[in-house]
Amino acid sequence: MLVMEKIYDISQLAEANRWWVNKNNISDDFKIINWEESKYKWSPNLKKYIKLDKDVIYTVRGPRQVGKTTLIKLIIKDLLLEEGIDPENIFFWSFENNSPQELNKIIDTYLRWRSAKSAQRKYLFLDEISAVNDWQKEIMHFSNRGDLVNCSVVITGSHSMDIKYSTERMPGRRGGDKNEPLDKILMPMKFSEYVKLLCPEIQEALSKNNLLRGSERKEKILKLFDGEIDSRIENLLVYKKELDSIFDTYLYTGGIPYVINEYLVDNEISTKTFNSYIGWIIGDLQKYKYKEDYFKQIIKAIFKTMPNPISWNSLKDFTDIKTHTTVQDYVSAMEDIFVGNITYPLSPKTGGPNPVKNKKIYISDPFIFHALHGWSHAKQDYFENLKANLLNLEMKSKLIECVVHNHLCRWSYGLNPRDLFDPKDHICYYRDKKEREIDFVAIYGDKIYPFEVKYQSSISNSDFSNFSSFNRGLLISKDHTMRYKNYYSIPISLFLLLI
């Protein structure tokens, strides 16, 4: 059956760009309304790293429903109402249901219409473009034709590999400043952003102690490995009770804005919300021909074995999947849609990750952790299951290790910001010849930074023994700040605040 391509004209494009009629119409956009009506409004730090005063093609990747489209609409609102940009020079379109041919026609229609009317800079926001096959060919077509001169372009997508590999096929054609990372990742908010949202008082304390800048906080963590604890970090200990309370809440909601607002307003998370996120995850996987049943079996096996190192073959044995390569493909797909992360052991010989040995698998966000656990274990009441997870010491320990891993990956990116950053290259685990394990080691330059998680009520000198291979280390504890030899212990809520 012949499928007719839809024909687009400027009046159809105007339906998604109502500010062309009146710039104040941006305030009636449903994403802006939802954001304004939220009790807890998150404006991601990423926003300040998207600079639209030059010819550039940015990509913004990240999981579903984390706020990519809302971020775009907030940027558009600033352009219209604060910077006074001509409304017709700002174009938005969501490409979730378009073909490559339609993508071409939509952008071509807008550029021809606007270029005929104005030579001023144009701003193109191309949302969920990863839903279109070979989208980069169409963008390259416009770039090669010179149509993107005096244009700032922001492209978003929910599938990491599609966006990443597609932009790698556009070398030298994306503009921007020298050495500026153009591929941005919007993840659920990390703990420090969560604290900023829930407790402005602690945010003010960070400001007073000159610890607002991420670079300053990263430096203070590195100094701990040199035997120095900054008095400004110690000053924050007066807020430990508040930080611990916020951390407990973070273990419920994770960093997804809608979930945070639902829980903090209603004191629960609805089954509908859990089902929606599971549906988005499954839907994204099915687009790439992954089977729901296989995915469920693998998720259940991950929870059973986490956080122990495991081989693909051993993981396969918990499922009815026939080959370990299939299991590996599914776990890699989890990475691609920002649901999970793989960590390799550190190789003493190379000083880098060893992908051949057993690996660890983590879930990227607390809410996604609870949603996947409830779904894979066929729990009838997701929220009841969430509460049971947090009352179970073993499950809570697994979740906390996932949270620390995710934050260390983000900390490592801050130390090594670049487009081709892969956390597996920088965050490993370590086992010595005596099978003593360190949960995480961060590789930065030619140095190794070991981290151990001990979420328990008491800490003794023996808890630092696994650091002996490196003669330094940072123990992330439940409550304690202490020094033993070359090692430090710091409470987890304070540590995460510094990430």
Side-chain angles (χ1 to χ4, degrees):
M1 183 173 119
L2 182 63
V3 179
M4 298 295 293
E5 296 289 350
K6 188 174 180 180
I7 298 174
Y8 290 88
D9 59 33
I10 202 64
S11 63
Q12 290 167 302
L13 302 190
E15 293 174 10
N17 296 271
R18 295 182 59 229
W19 48 84
W20 290 353
V21 175
N22 184 325
K23 67 179 182 180
N24 292 312
N25 285 344
I26 184 62
S27 299
D28 297 326
D29 184 276
F30 78 100
K31 289 289 185 181
I32 297 296
I33 291 173
N34 287 343
W35 188 83
E36 291 287 357
E37 291 180 347
S38 298
K39 183 175 180 180
Y40 299 95
K41 299 176 179 63
W42 180 39
S43 183
N45 291 336
L46 179 62
K47 186 179 172 190
K48 65 185 179 184
Y49 295 104
I50 297 177
K51 303 170 185 176
L52 300 178
D53 58 347
K54 57 181 73 67
D55 290 3
V56 65
I57 301 176
Y58 287 112
T59 69
V60 179
R61 296 174 283 156
R64 292 275 185 176
Q65 299 303 307
V66 77
K68 297 186 297 295
T69 305
T70 299
L71 172 64
I72 281 179
K73 293 298 177 68
L74 289 171
I75 293 172
I76 290 173
K77 184 180 179 182
D78 286 349
L79 290 172
L80 289 167
L81 304 185
E82 294 186 15
E83 298 187 30
I85 301 298
D86 186 332
E88 292 184 353
N89 285 343
I90 302 171
F91 174 70
F92 171 87
W93 194 266
S94 177
F95 289 93
E96 280 204 89
N97 299 307
N98 291 120
S99 68
Q101 294 78 14
E102 289 171 337
L103 184 153
N104 182 291
K105 291 174 184 176
I106 289 166
I107 297 176
D108 186 65
T109 298
Y110 171 73
L111 289 175
R112 288 181 182 277
W113 170 73
R114 196 59 199 145
S115 296
K117 298 180 69 175
S118 171
Q120 294 177 330
R121 175 166 299 280
K122 287 168 276 295
Y123 306 84
L124 280 68
F125 298 90
L126 313 179
D127 201 23
E128 289 298 344
I129 204 167
S130 58
V132 182
N133 292 331
D134 294 328
W135 60 267
Q136 80 284 349
K137 293 181 181 178
E138 304 305 326
I139 302 300
M140 284 178 62
H141 164 75
F142 290 108
S143 179
N144 292 339
R145 206 168 71 178
D147 291 340
L148 298 183
V149 173
N150 211 20
C151 287
S152 301
V153 183
V154 180
I155 292 170
T156 81
S158 297
H159 195 276
S160 170
M161 289 302 101
D162 177 84
I163 292 287
K164 179 180 177 181
Y165 290 151
S166 294
T167 52
E168 286 173 3
R169 299 183 191 120
M170 298 191 295
R173 305 183 185 183
R174 299 179 58 192
D177 294 333
K178 185 178 180 181
N179 298 324
E180 177 194 9
L182 301 180
D183 296 324
K184 311 296 185 182
I185 300 178
L186 182 62
M187 294 296 290
M189 68 182 77
K190 58 185 180 178
F191 184 68
S192 61
E193 296 172 287
Y194 198 78
V195 171
K196 177 182 178 181
L197 198 67
L198 269 62
C199 189
E201 182 184 356
I202 297 178
Q203 183 74 1
E204 291 175 12
L206 286 170
S207 179
K208 288 179 181 177
N209 285 281
N210 196 27
L211 289 171
L212 269 185
R213 294 172 58 216
S215 57
E216 188 74 18
R217 300 202 300 270
K218 293 180 186 77
E219 179 188 333
K220 300 312 170 193
I221 292 176
L222 292 174
K223 288 290 186 183
L224 291 174
F225 290 91
D226 295 327
E228 300 178 26
I229 182 163
D230 196 292
S231 60
R232 290 176 290 173
I233 295 177
E234 293 180 315
N235 292 342
L236 296 173
L237 285 171
V238 298
Y239 296 100
K240 184 179 180 302
K241 183 177 179 180
E242 291 87 347
L243 286 170
D244 288 349
S245 176
I246 296 171
F247 179 62
D248 287 341
T249 306
Y250 186 74
L251 294 180
Y252 273 72
T253 67
I256 298 172
Y258 181 85
V259 178
I260 294 165
N261 275 279
E262 182 177 30
Y263 176 71
L264 293 177
V265 171
D266 300 334
N267 201 34
E268 66 175 345
I269 304 169
S270 67
T271 299
K272 179 182 177 182
T273 297
F274 281 102
N275 284 334
S276 295
Y277 279 85
I278 291 296
W280 285 314
I281 290 169
I282 294 170
D284 276 352
L285 290 171
Q286 287 178 336
K287 284 181 183 178
Y288 294 89
K289 311 301 182 185
Y290 290 102
K291 297 179 181 179
E292 179 180 341
D293 182 55
Y294 280 6
F295 180 59
K296 180 180 283 188
Q297 291 181 52
I298 291 168
I299 290 294
K300 193 170 183 178
I302 288 171
F303 278 111
K304 186 176 183 64
T305 59
M306 179 194 298
N308 298 315
I310 193 168
S311 68
W312 299 127
N313 259 323
S314 296
L315 199 62
K316 172 185 71 68
D317 291 341
F318 289 96
T319 74
D320 63 12
I321 299 171
K322 297 188 182 302
T323 68
H324 71 276
T325 55
T326 299
V327 171
Q328 183 177 359
D329 287 344
Y330 273 75
V331 177
S332 295
M334 288 174 60
E335 285 191 295
D336 294 346
I337 60 171
F338 305 96
V339 165
N341 293 103
I342 302 168
T343 297
Y344 298 128
L346 180 74
S347 168
K349 291 183 179 180
T350 66
N354 185 348
V356 177
K357 298 290 187 179
N358 290 354
K359 56 279 305 163
K360 293 185 177 186
I361 304 167
Y362 293 102
I363 306 299
S364 60
D365 176 83
F367 173 74
I368 295 174
F369 179 101
H370 296 303
L372 289 174
H373 184 268
W375 170 71
S376 63
H377 289 75
K379 299 294 184 179
Q380 190 170 8
D381 190 319
Y382 280 94
F383 188 61
E384 186 178 289
N385 180 66
L386 178 157
K387 291 188 287 185
N389 284 342
L390 294 177
L391 290 172
N392 181 302
L393 184 57
E394 181 183 359
M395 284 299 297
K396 187 174 184 179
S397 296
K398 291 180 179 184
L399 172 57
I400 286 172
E401 194 163 323
C402 287
V403 170
V404 173
H405 176 262
N406 177 265
H407 279 66
L408 283 175
C409 289
R410 295 161 80 144
W411 178 71
S412 186
Y413 174 79
L415 296 173
N416 305 274
R418 59 176 183 272
D419 287 332
L420 299 180
F421 177 85
D422 185 340
K424 293 192 295 296
D425 294 333
H426 303 275
I427 302 295
C428 302
Y429 73 91
Y430 178 76
R431 273 190 174 176
D432 65 17
K433 293 178 181 179
K434 296 180 179 179
E435 293 297 302
R436 293 179 300 186
E437 183 176 305
I438 295 175
D439 293 326
F440 306 110
V441 292
I443 305 168
Y444 178 44
D446 59 353
K447 294 184 178 180
I448 302 293
Y449 297 90
F451 298 84
E452 180 76 8
V453 183
K454 294 283 186 184
Y455 191 76
Q456 55 198 38
S457 298
S458 61
I459 296 294
S460 66
N461 293 347
S462 62
D463 289 313
F464 295 93
S465 61
N466 288 4
F467 291 132
S468 59
S469 297
F470 299 95
N471 200 33
R472 62 178 181 167
L474 185 61
L475 193 149
I476 302 166
S477 68
K478 182 179 181 182
D479 295 311
H480 298 278
T481 302
M482 61 178 287
R483 180 178 181 177
Y484 172 67
K485 295 183 178 179
N486 297 325
Y487 318 125
Y488 264 107
S489 171
I490 186 171
I492 187 168
S493 58
L494 179 56
F495 171 73
L496 294 177
L497 181 67
L498 297 174
I499 296 293

